[in-house]
Structure formats: C-alpha cells, structure tokens
Amino acid sequence: MISKNTICLWYDGTALDAAKFYAETFPDSAVGAVHRAPGDYPSGKEGDVLTVEFTVMGIPCLGLNGGPAFRHDEAFSFQVATDDQAETDRLWNAIVDNGGQESACGWCKDKWGLSWQITPRALTAAITDPDRAVAKRAFEAMMEMRRIDIAAIDAARRG
C-alpha cells in the first residue's frame, strides 16, 4: 500500500540502482515493489522499470525513471543524524566512494545527484549549545570541514 505522503525522486533510468544502494547503505531501508511501464513513454519503453517503491531510514520514497529533464539539487537533501565518527565515516565514504562527491560542512552528493547531510549528533549539540561562544567556536570549526570530524568539533567546543 502506498503511503499517504511519499517522497518522489526523479532518476534518468537508474531508480532501481539508486534504491538498491540506499537499501544496502542505510539502516531501516529497503527496496519494495518495482513497477514496469505498461506502454512506451517519452524516456522509456514498455517493460522498462518506471517506478521503484523504497524506504530510506524509514522514509517512504518512490523512484521515478522520468528521464533527463529534471536533476536533483541541493534544495532537497536527506539529513542523517549519526551517533559517532565510525558511523559518520561509513555513510560518508559509502556515498562519496560510490561515484559521489564531497561538499562543505558535512554535505555530500551521491552519484545520482541527490544531496546528503551526514550530521553527527555531537555537531548539532555543539552548534546549538546555550553558551553562544561555545556554539560559535563549533560552528566556525564546522565551516572549515567537508566530512565532519567529531573530535575537532569537541575540541572547538572546549575552546
């Protein structure tokens, strides 16, 4: 049964590959139904994978093989709260090493152009610290990073 609210992500013929990668990489993720086109359409033929139902960390998604007309951009991203450096590194490396690219402040992009914020809980706690000087030091440290280094954030927090 399709969820009442589902995130629809547009792909150029690679929705199933993306869904499989997400299911292998992120906990509480899975590939569900794969639907094939009942007829030809502008970017595919009858029998091609048209849509893929999948979940990413419990969030229902639908991958639509709609063709090259629309691309993912940073206006939409998944923010993943990580518990430690090992989890942060594992997820970051999985995305970047699979044809993705690094960006700033914990952001990276997968090979399909979808943006991910790999955000340690320690970073969130640091930049929202009630002591504004502590928060500022942590924030300034983060601004110099690509992948978040929790030890460096903790050191900045301590001053």
Side-chain angles (χ1 to χ4, degrees):
M1 175 181 242
I2 295 178
S3 177
K4 182 92 168 162
N5 186 8
T6 300
I7 294 171
C8 182
L9 299 167
W10 190 290
Y11 295 90
D12 186 12
T14 58
L16 184 56
D17 292 338
K20 287 178 179 178
F21 172 76
Y22 305 145
E24 293 168 359
T25 303
F26 297 99
D28 194 21
S29 301
V31 177
V34 176
H35 303 282
R36 298 194 174 272
D40 292 350
Y41 59 108
S43 61
K45 301 284 183 206
E46 180 177 340
D48 288 352
V49 173
L50 181 61
T51 61
V52 179
E53 296 176 27
F54 61 99
T55 57
V56 177
M57 295 171 289
I59 299 171
C61 298
L62 180 75
L64 169 65
N65 281 328
F70 300 106
R71 298 280 181 204
H72 299 291
D73 67 29
E74 291 78 3
F76 175 88
S77 66
F78 281 102
Q79 184 179 45
V80 182
T82 56
D83 293 322
D84 55 31
Q85 193 66 52
E87 183 181 22
T88 301
D89 293 348
R90 182 183 73 77
L91 296 177
W92 179 276
N93 291 339
I95 292 167
V96 172
D97 293 349
N98 188 47
Q101 59 188 143
E102 297 182 356
S103 191
C105 304
W107 289 70
C108 57
K109 192 179 287 189
D110 67 28
K111 74 179 184 179
W112 299 280
L114 190 60
S115 292
W116 297 83
Q117 298 176 59
I118 308 301
T119 309
R121 294 179 197 278
L123 171 64
T124 303
I127 65 174
T128 61
D129 193 294
D131 182 330
R132 299 316 302 154
V134 168
K136 184 177 181 184
R137 287 193 305 268
F139 183 79
E140 288 172 346
M142 176 204 65
M143 293 299 293
E144 300 298 318
M145 297 178 187
R146 289 186 171 275
R147 175 186 0 204
I148 301 301
D149 179 339
I150 296 172
I153 294 295
D154 288 343
R157 195 174 191 183
R158 288 189 304 274

